[in-house]
Amino acid sequence: MNQQRGNQRLDRATAVPRVIGNNRDFLIVSGLAGAAKDVHALEEGADNAYLMGGAMGAAVPMGLGLALAQPERHVLVVTGDGELLMAIGSLAVAATSGLTRFSVVCVDNERYGETGNQIAHTAMGIDLATVARGFGFRHTMLAAAEDEMDTARDLIRRQDGLVFVHLKISDAPPPKPSSRSFDGVERKHIFRKALLGHV
Amino acid sequence: MAVQEIWGNALYDTLVEAGVGIFSYVPDGGHKVMIQRAIDDPRVRAISLTTEEEGVALAAGAHLGGAKAVLLMQSSGAGNCINMLSLTANGQFPFLCFVTMRGTFGEQNAWQVPMGKAVRPSLESIGVDCLEVEREDEVAETAEAALNMAYRSNRAVAVLLSQKLIGAKAF
């Protein structure tokens, strides 16, 4: 269960950008709450990222739909631990999809951060990388220490099988979005126009 | 199964000709023909889901990437989709699903009745337009209507395939 390593807490504001690296290497789908704010902070209004403020559980299957439509592109899903556990079966769907350019980073603060910082299941030692490996993800790792972040950044760029990184971070609040809200229609239009040339 | 061989094949061909390239599904006997066609067809992707709401999010993601995905499910799965349809509604994503009905006309399994009767009111309450098909000769016309509503008007549409069409399963 890796309790001891799991209790190490990387700083959220530096760990997420460091693991993702150049966000332009991917098409990104980010689930609600902290994960969406993390991705928003990488590049405000980026036209290669779709960020959600609800529909908990959507991140992995939505990223999968995007990857099926764009098999030549590398899709990165960024999701929180609460959302991932709500839709854990979607890892099985992804793993059996035949895709190889599909990476998931689970940003795990061990808390339900949006609702009062209640303790989440992952605080009690759940090893999500082993879970993902069991579903059939080829490359999986727990990134919980400073010297593991660069390894994680390289790993999510592998294109020879599905990648899952369980990123343990502090329970400090995620970066605060500045001005724009995550408008579902606007983000869809921006994303499609950049990718497809039309809305 | 003979009747389903006719409408199932015709419906499948209509969807593929309209550009549907991804079929996600939670298996149901009423969708057996279409599911098998999708699995066997190298032109499309057949994606087996663990729960129906994955297909709602998957369809939105496919639209982001310029592809058309439809969801095949039984009426019992409609309830699983409700909150995920907030993504469809809030983002005005096109959505098209085909629901084989249980729990209504001639149902012999009481466990199917509550959700079967709740399909239309639940889906309509989250913004999904429901088109019901009771006869084989309505399938193609309804599919064309649903395709236009979903992919030209960015609507969320459920085609409800009645037990009058698919038959009430002996349980």
Side-chain angles (χ1 to χ4, degrees):
Chain A
M1 284 281 191
N2 272 322
Q3 272 287 13
Q4 199 180 351
R5 298 181 69 235
N7 288 337
Q8 297 179 43
R9 309 298 287 275
L10 295 168
D11 175 58
R12 178 172 204 145
T14 56
V16 176
R18 197 162 147 199
V19 167
I20 293 178
N22 182 357
N23 64 311
R24 288 286 164 179
D25 291 344
F26 305 101
L27 298 174
I28 302 177
V29 172
S30 179
L32 77 173
K37 292 172 186 169
D38 290 329
V39 173
H40 181 75
L42 296 174
E43 181 189 341
E44 201 168 313
D47 59 16
N48 66 329
Y50 193 83
L51 315 178
M52 280 174 273
M56 190 164 175
V60 170
M62 189 176 190
L64 179 58
L66 174 59
L68 289 166
Q70 293 285 332
E72 300 304 313
R73 299 295 300 270
H74 197 142
V75 170
L76 173 67
V77 170
V78 183
T79 178
D81 52 293
E83 171 173 63
L84 184 70
L85 284 175
M86 186 176 276
I88 198 73
S90 62
L91 293 181
V93 182
T96 54
S97 66
L99 293 169
T100 57
R101 295 170 180 173
F102 187 80
S103 300
V104 177
V105 172
C106 178
V107 181
D108 176 14
N109 62 352
E110 304 186 347
R111 297 290 186 279
Y112 288 101
E114 291 290 302
T115 53
N117 242 27
Q118 296 90 349
I119 293 283
H121 305 78
T122 49
M124 293 166 237
I126 292 172
D127 178 356
L128 290 173
T130 296
V131 170
R133 194 174 313 122
F135 276 124
F137 276 61
R138 184 168 183 182
H139 305 290
T140 64
M141 72 175 286
L142 171 67
E146 289 286 337
D147 61 1
E148 290 166 329
M149 287 195 284
D150 291 345
T151 308
R153 189 186 59 221
D154 292 343
L155 197 70
I156 64 172
R157 286 166 169 76
R158 294 289 293 258
Q159 299 193 340
D160 60 342
L162 270 62
V163 179
F164 182 91
V165 170
H166 183 188
L167 178 61
K168 282 278 187 187
I169 47 108
S170 65
D171 63 353
K176 212 174 172 61
S178 51
S179 52
R180 307 298 287 269
S181 65
F182 304 158
D183 185 290
V185 178
E186 183 186 32
R187 301 296 308 204
K188 177 188 72 172
H189 288 162
I190 289 169
F191 192 103
R192 278 173 56 92
K193 199 159 188 187
L195 180 66
L196 308 170
H198 58 85
V199 298
Chain B
M1 193 55 73
V3 175
Q4 189 190 138
E5 293 285 351
I6 297 168
W7 67 257
N9 277 306
L11 178 53
Y12 181 82
D13 290 334
T14 300
L15 296 175
V16 173
E17 280 163 25
V20 173
I22 302 168
F23 290 77
S24 72
Y25 61 90
V26 173
D28 178 64
H31 282 310
K32 193 174 174 189
V33 168
M34 288 215 289
I35 290 170
Q36 196 59 48
R37 285 286 305 274
I39 290 170
D40 294 339
D41 187 346
R43 298 171 298 174
V44 308
R45 298 298 313 270
I47 300 295
S48 179
L49 307 169
T50 67
T51 178
E52 290 82 358
E53 67 265 34
E54 293 164 347
V56 176
L58 189 149
H63 178 72
L64 274 188
K68 295 186 177 90
V70 298
L71 168 60
L72 311 179
M73 64 177 165
Q74 189 191 88
S75 49
S76 51
N80 292 348
C81 294
I82 297 302
N83 184 53
M84 198 63 85
L85 285 161
S86 335
L87 168 60
T88 312
N90 186 52
Q92 294 173 22
F93 283 96
F95 174 68
L96 178 55
C97 66
F98 291 85
V99 183
T100 43
M101 293 302 297
R102 297 288 306 268
T104 53
F105 188 79
E107 181 59 57
Q108 298 178 52
N109 178 2
W111 292 87
Q112 290 283 354
V113 174
M115 190 62 233
K117 293 182 75 70
V119 166
R120 181 186 279 270
S122 331
L123 290 177
E124 287 179 345
S125 69
I126 192 82
V128 179
D129 301 327
C130 294
L131 307 177
E132 187 162 15
V133 177
E134 294 192 337
R135 298 198 322 265
E136 190 197 320
D137 62 5
E138 299 170 332
V139 174
E141 178 190 26
T142 307
E144 294 285 358
L147 282 160
N148 283 333
M149 291 161 73
Y151 297 116
R152 293 183 191 274
S153 294
N154 278 0
R155 292 295 305 167
V157 186
V159 175
L160 310 183
L161 302 168
S162 162
Q163 283 175 295
K164 288 184 183 176
L165 174 73
I166 60 178
K169 179 186 175 191
F171 184 78

